[in-house]
């Protein structure tokens, strides 16, 4: 690490000559925050020290932007039409995703299957663990105090706030992800969807279906 | 190396409250559940958090708790559960719970 | 005994189902963490990020936004590891702020000219 400490200084003033930066805060949106300034300063220092490059930063943001619930939905639609695939997915989500050409990252992911007897819902009570590689960035509420505090203690009440009522004879199973494992819910295929193709089935699967706060809408 | 607990084992979470970075949620400490999955071995996150290598790796278990064992006033189905990922060093064979919990409570509370 | 981030089971109000599109600077924070924790560098572990967020203290969850907590923790970790020092960081932040203020002033001037 010492080589990183030594080569930063002569880069410090590269940006003082008025050339345009790739990033400007949305100045018309009012004041920028202390932490936005910190973010920009840290990035410029890391680039100046050659710890990271601007190109790596740009391409990493592209990767972040490319992740969306579409990937998880494709996996689920395939599982609905292909029982053998579903079995492989329940065994190993990352390799099943690979079969569809989807990069699900390196952190292990468990698919938890909704059945007539069990409804699954996921949370991270300690921070915000989330299957980002298959669903994208988590929504604000998933990371916020109310959901994280309450869903382990009164899951049925929380689900009801999302408009999801689970019959009392169905077990509600909450999965609290704490560090090295991620979860995604594999919802049950809705009735009345027998004549839909895989693509149309995928359209029924929303992000919240894969968190477990919603159920796929019937076609 | 075979895991310390087989699937189906009744395990209790250590009732301990150390400071620092802990990956076992407060609400399961001192509670008893069933091992329902063995995820694998990972560097210990409670060591990684301080810049160390986290070795030896620890086995991560998924432990299923009945909601009514976690929350005395639980409203819902008696079958409802919560599954929590817990590292082996936080788990004990449920049969040894009573002694250890008492010792733990004296030391840490 | 219970740390503030360890909130499973506590009382809280209804889940407010709002969400926002992530701002460019928020994605940059996310990307920086990915790069620093990735296999090429392993400069910061996700566990160190989490520890740093927890150590921001009980007020941080309510006073700071999600990515504000991230950049604060990333920065503290980089200082602890000697990747950044406080002196250069302070100067760089002042530099960024001065530049943005100048950009804003220039922009306002252009807009005023447009109005005339």
């Amino acid at each position: 690490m010492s080589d990183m400490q030594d080569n930063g200084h002569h880069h410090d003033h590269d940006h003082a000559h008025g050339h345009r930066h790739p990033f400007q805060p949305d100045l018309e949106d009012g004041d920028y925050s202390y932490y936005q300034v910190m973010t920009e300063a840290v990035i410029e220092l890391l680039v100046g020290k050659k710890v990271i490059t601007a190109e790596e930063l740009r391409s990493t943001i592209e990767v972040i932007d490319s992740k969306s619930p579409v990937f998880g939905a494709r996996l689920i639609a395939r599982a609905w039409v292909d029982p053998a695939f579903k079995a492989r997915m329940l065994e190993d989500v990352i390799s099943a995703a690979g079969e569809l050409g989807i990069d699900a990252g390196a952190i292990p992911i468990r698919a938890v299957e909704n059945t007539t007897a069990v409804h699954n819902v996921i949370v991270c009570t300690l921070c915000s663990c989330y299957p980002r590689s298959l669903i994208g960035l988590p929504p604000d509420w998933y990371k916020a105090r109310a959901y994280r505090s309450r869903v382990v203690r009164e899951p049925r009440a929380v689900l009801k706030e999302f408009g999801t009522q689970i019959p009392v004879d169905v077990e509600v199973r909450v999965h609290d992800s704490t560090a090295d494992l991620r979860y995604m819910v594999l919802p049950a295929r809705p009735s009345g969807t027998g004549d839909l193709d895989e693509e149309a089935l995928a359209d029924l699967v929303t992000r919240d279906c894969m968190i477990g706060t919603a159920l796929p809408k019937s076609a | 190396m075979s895991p310390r607990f087989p699937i189906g084992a009744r395990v209790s979470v250590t009732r301990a409250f150390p400071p620092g970075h802990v990956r076992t949620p407060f609400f399961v400490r001192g509670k008893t559940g069933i091992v329902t999955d063995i995820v694998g071995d990972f560097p210990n996150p409670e060591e990684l958090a301080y810049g160390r290598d986290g070795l030896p790796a620890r086995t991560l278990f998924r432990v299923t708790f009945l909601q009514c064992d976690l929350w005395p006033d639980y409203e819902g189905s008696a079958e409802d559960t919560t599954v929590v990922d817990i590292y082996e060093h936080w788990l004990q064979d449920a049969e040894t719970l009573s002694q250890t919990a008492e010792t733990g409570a004296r030391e840490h509370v | 005994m219970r740390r503030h981030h360890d909130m499973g089971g506590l009382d809280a109000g209804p889940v407010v189902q709002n969400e926002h599109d992530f701002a460019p600077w928020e994605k940059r924070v996310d990307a920086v963490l990915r790069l620093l924790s990735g296999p090429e560098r392993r400069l910061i572990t996700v566990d160190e990020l989490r520890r740093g967020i927890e150590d921001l203290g009980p007020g941080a969850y309510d006073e700071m936004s999600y990515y504000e907590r991230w950049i604060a923790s990333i920065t503290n970790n980089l200082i602890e590891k000697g990747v950044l020092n406080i002196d250069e960081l302070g100067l760089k932040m002042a530099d960024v702020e001065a530049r943005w203020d100048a950009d804003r002033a220039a922009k306002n001037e252009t807009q005023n000219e447009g109005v005339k």
Side-chain angles (χ1 to χ4, degrees):
Chain A
M1 213 175 292
S2 60
D3 54 338
M4 290 173 194
Q5 293 167 23
D6 294 332
N7 59 15
H9 298 109
H10 53 279
H11 292 282
D12 280 4
H13 301 290
D14 281 1
H15 298 302
H17 308 298
H19 79 251
R20 279 285 140 187
H21 267 264
F23 169 73
Q24 298 293 321
D26 298 324
L27 296 175
E28 65 273 20
D29 292 341
D31 283 343
Y32 47 80
S33 74
Y34 178 78
Y35 294 99
Q36 278 173 270
V37 173
M38 185 187 290
T39 300
E40 181 64 17
V42 166
I43 288 171
E44 289 182 19
L45 288 170
L46 291 174
V47 171
K49 290 166 187 280
K50 303 194 192 315
V51 176
I52 62 175
T53 67
E55 169 56 24
E56 287 173 318
L57 194 64
R58 195 191 56 73
S59 60
T60 305
I61 291 170
E62 276 182 12
V63 171
I64 294 169
D65 281 338
S66 73
K67 304 297 182 190
S68 86
V70 166
F71 296 108
R74 276 179 55 203
L75 278 177
I76 286 162
R78 174 64 61 89
W80 283 347
V81 300
D82 181 348
F85 179 84
K86 182 168 96 176
R88 293 196 296 280
M89 178 177 167
L90 291 171
E91 192 65 34
D92 184 343
V93 169
I94 292 177
S95 94
E99 290 181 38
L100 303 190
I102 296 168
D103 176 7
I107 302 172
I109 302 170
R110 282 275 193 286
V112 289
E113 184 184 10
N114 286 350
T115 65
T116 51
V118 178
H119 177 84
N120 296 283
V121 58
I122 66 174
V123 65
C124 170
T125 61
L126 296 176
C127 49
S128 56
C129 299
Y130 188 76
R132 296 158 54 129
S133 60
L134 292 173
I135 315 191
L137 296 174
D140 291 342
W141 56 260
Y142 183 87
K143 305 180 286 190
R145 179 179 296 280
Y147 184 76
R148 287 167 50 189
S149 299
R150 289 179 53 225
V151 78
V152 286
R153 183 174 189 151
E154 39 174 348
R156 289 172 184 268
V158 170
L159 292 176
K160 203 179 278 182
E161 288 170 28
F162 282 85
T164 303
Q165 298 244 36
I166 304 301
V168 76
D169 60 344
V170 173
E171 171 192 340
V172 172
R173 191 177 292 168
V174 183
H175 300 266
D176 187 1
S177 170
T178 65
D180 289 297
L181 181 64
R182 304 287 177 267
Y183 296 105
M184 69 180 292
V185 174
L186 169 51
R189 179 171 177 167
S191 56
T193 58
D195 52 353
L196 294 186
D197 66 12
E198 209 174 313
E199 201 174 323
L201 287 170
D203 287 342
L204 303 179
V205 183
T206 63
R207 176 196 68 201
D208 289 3
C209 296
M210 294 180 272
I211 297 175
T213 50
L215 299 172
K217 42 193 184 293
S218 308
Chain B
M1 206 175 61
S2 68
R4 270 179 61 201
F5 307 102
I7 287 177
R10 265 172 65 80
V11 289
S12 294
V13 184
T14 306
R15 199 177 124 76
F17 306 93
H21 183 72
V22 171
R23 296 315 288 182
T24 297
F26 182 94
F27 72 87
V28 295
R29 297 192 212 165
K31 307 292 185 183
T32 297
I34 306 280
V35 170
T36 45
D37 192 4
I38 300 170
V39 183
D41 293 352
F42 298 87
N44 180 359
E46 297 172 349
E47 286 286 308
L48 290 175
Y50 296 92
R52 299 189 282 268
D53 64 11
L55 300 176
R58 305 294 177 108
T59 305
L60 182 61
F61 294 90
R62 294 173 69 207
V63 180
T64 300
F65 301 88
L66 282 173
Q67 289 283 32
C68 46
D69 285 343
L70 296 176
W71 322 107
D73 57 348
Y74 184 71
E75 292 174 2
S77 162
E79 309 294 312
D80 288 355
T81 54
T82 286
V83 186
V84 184
D85 310 337
I86 306 178
Y87 278 93
E88 60 176 304
H89 56 281
W90 275 92
L91 296 175
Q92 321 155 47
D93 193 303
E95 311 318 316
T96 64
L97 164 71
S98 50
Q99 298 164 343
T100 321
E102 279 169 26
T103 316
R106 270 199 301 276
E107 282 171 3
H108 294 287
V109 174
Chain C
M1 244 169 39
R2 180 201 276 266
R3 295 195 71 198
H4 60 92
H5 68 279
D6 186 355
M7 51 185 77
L10 294 177
D11 289 333
V15 177
V16 181
Q17 290 169 48
N18 59 358
E19 36 197 292
H20 77 294
D21 288 333
F22 294 95
W25 80 271
E26 294 179 304
K27 289 184 189 171
R28 283 160 72 82
V29 173
D30 205 291
V32 165
L33 190 269
R34 283 189 194 217
L35 288 169
L36 296 178
S37 63
E40 294 86 16
R41 293 177 188 78
R42 299 191 190 282
L43 267 175
I44 296 183
T45 61
V46 172
D47 311 277
E48 288 172 306
L49 170 79
R50 293 177 182 140
R51 181 205 20 121
I53 292 169
E54 292 162 13
D55 289 349
L56 293 172
Y61 266 87
D62 301 312
E63 289 159 15
M64 295 166 73
S65 73
Y66 185 74
Y67 282 109
E68 286 178 349
R69 298 194 293 266
W70 273 44
I71 191 61
S73 172
I74 290 168
T75 305
N76 286 341
N77 270 288
L78 291 172
I79 292 168
E80 283 173 11
K81 289 166 187 287
V83 178
L84 302 181
N85 68 59
I86 288 175
D87 182 41
E88 65 187 352
L89 182 60
L91 290 173
K92 181 61 84 180
M93 287 177 68
D95 174 41
V96 167
E97 206 164 349
R99 223 167 48 223
W100 285 356
D101 283 344
D103 282 354
R104 173 182 297 187
K107 187 171 178 178
N108 287 343
E109 211 163 281
T110 319
Q111 280 172 349
N112 290 343
E113 278 167 16
V115 171
K116 283 177 217 161

